[in-house]
Every structure is written in C-alpha cells, then in structure tokens.
C-alpha cells in the first residue's frame, strides 16, 4: 500500500510539473504569430489488485497536444487568401480610378474643350485666333491621351516587378515548408508518434503566409508531412521536396510576363486565370481583366476621335480653299508574332470600320494542315471565327498575312492598344482646319416659286466622289418633275419631285422644299470663296456626341464616360467587398483563437491549479514517507 501511495504521489508531482511547464510555454508564446495553445494529455495508471479489488497507482502523461480546430483553420486560410486578393486588387485599381476620373487631369475635360474650341471655329471660321485655340486644345487632348497611356504603361511595368516579388515569396515559403516537413517527419518518428507541436505551428504559419500570396490547398499525410497544391492542382510541396514558380516571358504577348511551374525536368506556363487568390492572383487579374482592357478602351476613344475628325476634315475645304487633310496621326493595330512561331510570315492589320472595332485583343493561328485556313479568337469572350483565306475583315480589322506561315504559328492582334500612346497632331497651321464644306446649293435669282434648296452635305465615308465639285443643275420642267444636268452618270429623263426628299448625286446630298415653279432652277457646285463657311466645322463639333462606336450606338464622350464609369463601379465594388472580406476574416480568426489561442486568464488559473496539484501530490508523498518511517520504527 505504501509503495502504491509513493508511486501515485510521484506520478502526480510529475504530471503537475509537466502541466506547469506546458502552461508556462503557452504564456510565453501568447503573442507568437501562429502559436496554438498546448495541453497535457493525462490518463490514469492501471490499478494494482489487492484482496478488495484494484487500487489506483497514479496518473500518466501520455503526450502534449495542440488544441487545434481543422475546420476553423481551413476557413481562415481560405478567407485570408481572398482578403489579400481583394485588398491588393483594390489598392491597384484605385491608382487607375484616380487617374482617369480626375476632373482636371483626365481625358474627359480635354475632349470636351477640344470640341468646344471647334464650335468656336464653326461660328467664326475666318478667325485665326479661333483656329489657333482649336489647335491648342487639340494638342492638349493629345497630351492627355499620351500621359494617361504612359501612366497605365508604368503601372503595367510595375506589376511585372510585383509579380516577380510575389513568386519569389511563394518559392521561399514552399522551401521552408518542405524543410519543416522533414523535421516534423523525423521528430514524429523519434517521438514514437508524438507530434512536434511547435514545428507544426511554424508550418501552419508559413501556409497562412503562403495564402496571402496565392490560394493554396493542403493535405496532411500519415507521416506528418504536408502536401501543398496551387493553381489547378499543381503540387508546390510534397514531402521534403519544394517545386517552384517562375516568371517567364509570355509566348503570346512579348510585353507581358506569365507565371510558369518549374519542375526538375521542365518549365510549363500555367493557365494564368487558374492562379486565384492572394497578391499573385490579384496582380494577374488586375493586369488582364482591368488594366489591359482599360488601355484598349482608352485607345479606342483616341482612335475614334482621331479617325472621325480626320475623315470629316478631309471632307471639307481649308482656309486656302484646298481639300482638308488629316489632323491627327492614327496608330495601326499592334501585331506581335508568337515567340514559338517556326514560320517567317508576318501579319499586317489596319482599321477598316471604327464602328465595328471592339476593345478586345485577338489571336490569329495558322491551321493544320497547311492551306486549311486560319482561326481567329476574340480573347475577351473566346469567340472563334474560322477564316478560309486572307485578307479578311473581322470586327472592323482588315488582316493580311505574308508568305512563310507554318501550321501552329500564332499572332497577337491588338487593334487599339497603342492608339492613345501614338496619337499626335499633324499640323500647327491654323489654316489647315477645313471648316468649309466643298459644295454649296443655290437657287437661281430668277426663280419665282417658293422652292428652297439646302446648302448640301458631302456623303461619307471617304474617299470623296471625284465629281463632287462638278456643277449640277436641277431645272423644273413642271411643278412635279425636274431634269438634272451635270450628274455622273448622267440622269436621263425627268425626275419626280417630292418636297424634302433627299436629292443625291456626285457624292453629295441636298433637299428641296416648297413649291417650285416651272423653269425654276437650283444649282449644286463648288463652294468658292468660302472663308466664312463653317458648315464642315459644325459637323466636326457633332462628332462629340455622334454614335460612332459599337455599330452606331455610342459616341466619343459617352465611350470615355463609360470607361470611367466601369472602372469606378469596379473600384467601389472592390472597396465594399474587400472591407466585408476583411471583417469576415477577422471574425473567423476570433473564432479560431477562442479555441486555439492562449487565454492568459485561463493560463493563470491553470498555474494555480497545477501548483496546488503539485503541492498536494508532494504532501501525499510526505505522508507516504511518514507511514514508511512508522513501519520501520515497529522493527526497532
């Protein structure tokens, strides 16, 4: 009995001592990131049999366990990845939103001021100061487009560095997790199945940090090691081996980099859209879903303004009476050869229809076998157009390919990517503004009827009819019919008169209203001495709101407003969702820490509890010793 009391007391003291040590360990690591509180696992020792039954022999500490909740920890990892993604995306897009929506530095006021100055020219077409003001505002609009594009390009270049930094962080965490896997595996084997809790905490903390960079999933193996997966299931860590991500030049677009998966035998470019979550996913999605489309949209606005103003200016007469010329340079679509192309062919592209131009990029691929045509993929929605031969016009872009193309060769076509960067004013001469219309409709002074002819407008698009300024005479041979002379091709016979109907010949259109009398004549001829004519300038003013994009549904000013609105809406959405996600993350961390975290009040109580347990066990040991001394005294 005395022996049992001695053994039981000693085990109680050992148990309390381990409890005190574990409690002190918890207290010491209360502020250690990723630390999970620990607890001794106790079980009673098997009882010793005696005549009346079994008597207990004390307590056994079978291990130290982590108070760990797998469900809450997994939830925190997932929400951490999403919170980092949304925060980084929001931070990045705010730069763009502030840039394009700036009421003074954005392009909207520059576009508005340009057309306002053009309106001044239409009101006083002979005024050199008004024309100079228009050119100054045109240059300011050009500068705005170029400045915004340069800033967007700078942001894009900065993203390359951020992507590289994020990939390096991922690789560093992967290497450290792999090293801890080995330490944990060996420690567990040496401990006969007992897990090294602190090493597991360190590994879990690394996985948390990894999820701030990229969304990762984990799987714990029976030997205690943890496998880590990213992307669409690529293994980042297995046992003690860490794979690596790598930043490589994009094979499709030489101006971009892609994230690749590097193994011991090969480097494979990953599907970029599969790299979700964390900072890395935010940088990729911001670049591919916001920044590059935004540059395309900005370029389309610049391209639309330049092309439409150029066409209208070429449809008028300048201050010297000559046909107008282009006022802006127009950037051709950018075409990049695929880095893996084996053929020598090059692709050329030009804008055929601004109304059909989208803000998407395209990939043209040579089909296999040779001679079986081409495949054109609109990258924004993956819409495929099969092209049997080239040249061909698709979505307003005319494409042609030279000799030397081999099956599998690909080309990236970016119709508007460089348009804002390359727009420029072609002249500094105020006289070059073609404010006047090249033709004018007039009524003969001898007319006695009430018929009236409009000045007439030039039919678009370019090129203009070569007979545009040839004199055409409309003579009424009755109150209801007229004959036409000077038209090309000639008009044979009488033409029925319909008041207000379009009269179209030689590339112009006019209307006659009222009731002409017999022998009344009207003439459409070259507009000479037209320095005071601002009709063509007025048509250029109308381009600000004329629906030239999206097949005639959106104007220049409206297109830029949509651009600003889309970015603003996305920025606001990310502001709300990132705040909500951060709140969810904090709430999940609170729930996790309520179970896994160290509660100093609880640990202080445990110190007292284990102290009292130790003192009580020691007292029992003292009593056992007294009893043993009493037994020894009986023999003296």
């Amino acid at each position: 009995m005395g022996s049992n009391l001695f053994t039981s007391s000693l085990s109680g003291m050992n148990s309390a001592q381990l409890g005190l040590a574990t409690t002190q360990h918890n207290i010491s690591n209360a502020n250690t990131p990723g630390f999970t509180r620990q607890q001794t696992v106790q079980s009673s020792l098997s009882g010793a049999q005696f005549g009346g039954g079994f008597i207990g022999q004390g307590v056994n500490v079978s291990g130290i366990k982590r108070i760990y909740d797998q469900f809450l920890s997994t939830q925190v990892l997932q929400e951490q990845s999403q919170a980092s993604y949304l925060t980084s995306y929001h931070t990045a897009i705010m730069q763009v939103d502030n840039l394009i929506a700036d009421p003074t530095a954005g392009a909207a006021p520059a576009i508005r001021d340009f057309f306002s100055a053009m309106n001044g020219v239409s009101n006083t077409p002979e005024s050199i100061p008004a024309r100079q003001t228009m050119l100054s505002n045109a240059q300011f609009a050009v500068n705005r487009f170029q400045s915004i594009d340069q800033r967007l390009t700078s942001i894009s270049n900065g993203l390359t560095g951020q992507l590289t930094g994020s990939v390096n962080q991922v690789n560093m965490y992967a290497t450290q997790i792999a090293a801890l896997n080995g330490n944990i595996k060996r420690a567990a084997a040496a401990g006969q199945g007992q897990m090294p809790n602190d090493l597991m905490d360190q590994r879990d903390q690394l996985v948390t940090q990894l999820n701030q960079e990229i969304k990762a999933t984990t799987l714990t193996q029976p030997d205690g090691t943890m496998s880590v997966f990213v992307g669409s299931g690529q293994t980042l860590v297995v046992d003690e081996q860490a794979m690596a991500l790598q930043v490589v030049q994009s094979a499709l677009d030489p101006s971009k980099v892609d994230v690749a998966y590097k193994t011991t035998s090969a480097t494979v470019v990953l599907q970029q859209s599969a790299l979700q979550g964390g900072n890395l996913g935010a940088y990729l999605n911001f670049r591919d879903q916001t920044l590059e489309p935004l540059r395309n949209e900005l370029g389309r606005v610049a391209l639309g303004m330049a092309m439409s103003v150029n066409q209208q200016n070429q449809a008028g007469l300048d201050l010297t009476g000559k046909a107008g010329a282009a006022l802006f340079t127009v950037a051709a679509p950018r075409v990049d050869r695929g880095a893996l192309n084996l053929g020598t062919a090059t692709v050329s592209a030009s804008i055929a229809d601004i109304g059909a131009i989208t803000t998407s990029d395209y990939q043209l691929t040579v089909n296999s076998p040779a001679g079986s045509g081409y495949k054109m993929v609109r990258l924004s929605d993956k819409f495929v157009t099969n092209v049997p031969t080239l040249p061909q016009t698709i979505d307003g872009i005319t494409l042609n390919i030279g000799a030397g193309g081999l099956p599998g060769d690909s080309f990236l076509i970016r119709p508007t990517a460089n348009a804002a960067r390359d727009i420029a004013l072609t002249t500094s001469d105020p006289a070059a503004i073609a404010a006047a219309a090249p033709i004018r409709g007039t009524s003969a002074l001898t007319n006695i009827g009430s018929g009236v002819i409009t000045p007439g407008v030039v039919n678009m698009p370019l090129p203009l009819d070569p007979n545009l300024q040839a004199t055409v005479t409309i003579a009424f041979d009755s109150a209801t019919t007229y004959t036409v002379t000077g038209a090309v091709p000639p008009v044979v016979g009488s033409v029925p008169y319909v008041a207000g109907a379009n009269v179209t010949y030689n590339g112009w259109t006019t209307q006659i209203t009222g009731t002409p009398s017999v022998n009344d004549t009207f003439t459409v001829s070259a507009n000479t001495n037209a320095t005071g004519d601002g009709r063509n300038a007025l048509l250029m003013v109308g381009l600000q709101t004329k629906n030239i994009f999206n097949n005639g549904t959106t104007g220049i000013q409206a297109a830029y407003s949509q651009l600003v609105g889309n970015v603003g809406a996305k920025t606001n959405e990310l502001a709300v969702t990132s705040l909500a996600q951060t709140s969810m993350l904090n709430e999940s961390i609170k729930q996790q820490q309520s179970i896994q975290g160290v509660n100093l009040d609880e640990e202080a109580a445990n110190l007292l509890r284990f102290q009292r347990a130790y003192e009580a066990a020691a007292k029992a040991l003292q009593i056992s010793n007294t009893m043993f001394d009493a037994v020894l005294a009986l023999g003296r």
Side-chain angles (χ1 to χ4, degrees):
M1 178 68 75
S3 174
N4 289 342
L5 182 58
F6 183 88
T7 303
S8 179
S9 299
L10 187 59
S11 68
M13 291 174 66
N14 289 334
S15 174
Q17 188 177 34
L18 287 173
L20 283 168
T22 301
T23 300
Q24 180 55 43
H25 184 61
N26 289 341
I27 294 172
S28 299
N29 288 281
N31 296 316
T32 301
F35 178 77
T36 302
R37 70 186 177 96
Q38 299 175 13
Q39 188 179 79
T40 57
V41 180
Q42 299 179 351
S43 59
S44 61
L45 290 170
S46 300
Q49 187 175 10
F50 74 109
F54 292 86
I55 184 169
Q57 299 191 83
V59 64
N60 175 54
V61 177
S62 58
I64 310 294
K65 70 173 182 179
R66 294 195 304 164
I67 307 304
Y68 182 78
D69 189 300
Q70 180 67 48
F71 174 78
L72 287 177
S73 296
T74 301
Q75 184 175 349
V76 167
L77 287 179
Q78 293 173 346
E79 292 181 0
Q80 175 66 72
S81 176
Q82 186 67 4
S84 297
Y85 168 83
L86 292 172
T87 300
S88 295
Y89 204 142
H90 180 237
T91 301
I93 201 173
M94 279 182 63
Q95 303 177 67
V96 175
D97 185 44
N98 294 335
L99 175 66
I100 65 171
D102 192 301
T104 56
I111 296 171
R112 188 166 52 248
D113 290 347
F114 165 70
F115 284 107
S116 177
M118 181 64 78
N119 190 54
V121 174
S122 71
N123 291 329
T124 55
E126 72 284 357
S127 170
I128 295 298
R131 289 168 172 264
Q132 189 62 61
T133 299
M134 194 283 290
L135 288 179
S136 297
N137 281 276
Q139 186 61 57
F140 180 68
V142 165
N143 294 343
R144 284 291 86 214
F145 280 118
Q146 292 177 345
S147 176
I148 294 173
D149 184 82
Q150 288 171 4
R151 179 62 182 140
L152 295 178
T153 301
S154 176
I155 293 173
S156 180
N157 293 337
L159 279 175
T160 299
Q162 290 174 298
L163 283 168
T164 301
S166 185
V167 164
N168 290 339
Q169 285 290 104
V170 169
N171 292 338
M172 181 185 70
Y173 293 140
T175 301
Q176 293 175 347
I177 291 170
L180 281 171
N181 270 347
N183 294 338
I184 290 171
K185 180 173 65 173
R186 285 183 285 275
Q192 298 179 344
Q194 295 294 327
M195 302 305 294
N197 297 324
D198 297 293
L199 292 180
M200 295 177 72
D201 286 344
Q202 292 175 31
R203 187 176 65 185
D204 285 350
Q205 179 64 13
L206 286 172
V207 172
T208 299
Q209 293 172 317
L210 175 65
N211 268 270
Q212 293 177 1
E213 297 300 328
I214 188 172
K215 182 179 180 181
T217 55
T218 62
L219 179 64
T220 302
Q221 305 297 336
D223 62 356
T225 61
M226 177 184 285
S227 298
V228 182
F229 308 92
V230 296
S232 53
Q234 284 76 23
T235 303
L236 185 64
V237 179
V238 58
D239 199 8
E240 298 183 56
Q241 183 180 7
M243 308 303 174
L245 300 183
Q246 185 178 3
V247 174
V248 298
Q249 196 74 37
S250 172
L252 179 62
D253 185 350
S255 68
K256 292 166 55 175
V257 295
D258 288 335
V259 177
Y261 179 68
K262 185 178 181 181
T263 65
T264 54
S265 58
T267 298
V268 180
V269 176
L270 298 174
Q271 183 179 354
Q272 304 301 288
S273 59
L275 297 171
Q276 294 295 320
N279 296 328
L280 186 61
Y283 298 148
L284 288 170
N285 283 346
F286 168 67
R287 182 193 68 183
D288 297 338
Q289 298 179 12
T290 297
L291 188 60
E292 291 303 320
L294 177 61
R295 285 192 67 205
N296 290 349
E297 290 181 36
L298 179 71
R300 187 177 69 155
V301 174
L303 186 69
M305 188 182 84
M307 288 188 65
S308 60
V309 170
N310 282 353
Q311 289 177 358
Q312 196 61 57
N313 200 68
Q314 289 172 285
L317 300 179
D318 65 17
L319 199 58
T320 65
K322 296 178 181 178
L327 294 178
F328 298 98
T329 58
V330 176
R334 175 179 144 189
V335 180
D336 294 310
R337 297 181 74 254
L340 303 179
N341 287 8
L342 298 177
T344 59
T346 58
V347 168
S348 60
S350 60
I351 304 298
D353 181 4
I354 190 63
I357 290 293
T358 72
T359 58
S360 178
D361 296 333
Y362 298 80
Q363 184 178 12
L364 180 72
T365 305
V366 181
N367 288 341
S368 179
S372 59
Y374 311 87
K375 181 176 71 173
M376 181 83 154
V377 180
R378 188 167 57 209
L379 297 179
S380 61
D381 57 5
K382 307 303 179 185
F383 181 80
V384 176
T385 301
N386 291 311
V387 184
T389 59
L390 289 176
Q392 192 77 255
T393 299
I394 302 168
D395 286 354
I397 317 159
T398 299
L399 300 172
N400 200 2
I401 189 170
L406 295 178
D409 285 357
S410 67
F411 304 85
L412 178 68
I413 296 99
R414 305 193 65 188
T416 63
N418 293 342
R421 184 196 71 182
D422 295 340
I423 187 174
L425 197 61
T426 61
T427 182
S428 59
D429 182 7
I433 302 169
I439 51 94
R440 178 175 58 189
T442 58
S443 303
L445 295 178
T446 56
N447 288 0
I448 60 175
S450 61
V452 177
I453 189 171
T454 62
V457 295
V458 175
N459 298 337
M460 300 294 284
L462 301 177
L464 300 181
D465 192 303
N467 300 295
L468 179 70
Q469 293 183 298
T471 300
V472 175
T473 301
I474 300 172
F476 277 80
D477 48 18
S478 73
T480 58
T481 60
Y482 59 81
T483 58
V484 179
T485 57
V488 180
V491 179
V492 179
S494 297
V495 179
Y497 169 64
V498 178
N502 286 340
V503 179
T504 301
Y505 300 105
N506 291 13
W508 50 255
T509 297
T510 187
Q511 296 85 32
I512 300 175
T513 56
T515 306
S517 297
V518 176
N519 296 324
D520 281 359
T521 60
F522 303 89
T523 302
V524 177
S525 59
N527 189 14
T528 57
N529 300 320
T531 56
D533 182 8
R535 284 182 293 148
N536 198 55
L538 190 60
L539 291 174
M540 283 191 271
V541 174
L543 295 173
Q544 181 180 12
T545 55
K546 184 178 179 180
N547 293 334
I548 63 172
F549 297 123
N550 301 328
N551 296 313
T553 60
T554 308
I556 295 171
Q557 200 77 48
Y560 190 82
S561 296
Q562 287 179 5
L563 178 156
V564 174
N566 291 340
V567 174
K570 184 66 174 179
T571 303
N572 184 64
E573 173 195 336
L574 287 168
V576 173
T577 54
S578 63
L579 181 61
Q581 185 64 36
T582 300
S583 298
M584 288 176 59
L585 172 63
N586 291 336
E587 188 60 34
S588 294
I589 290 175
K590 286 180 182 179
Q591 294 180 21
Q592 180 197 45
Q593 289 303 303
S594 68
I595 296 174
Q596 298 181 193
V598 176
N599 185 318
L600 291 176
D601 291 336
E602 180 183 349
E603 298 302 331
N606 285 340
L607 282 176
L608 293 175
R609 181 163 63 90
F610 289 125
Q611 179 187 1
R612 292 302 184 188
Y614 187 89
E615 291 172 350
K619 189 65 176 178
L621 183 61
Q622 182 183 12
I623 293 171
S624 173
N625 187 54
T626 301
M627 292 172 63
F628 186 68
D629 286 345
V631 172
L632 291 177
L634 291 176
R636 290 196 289 266

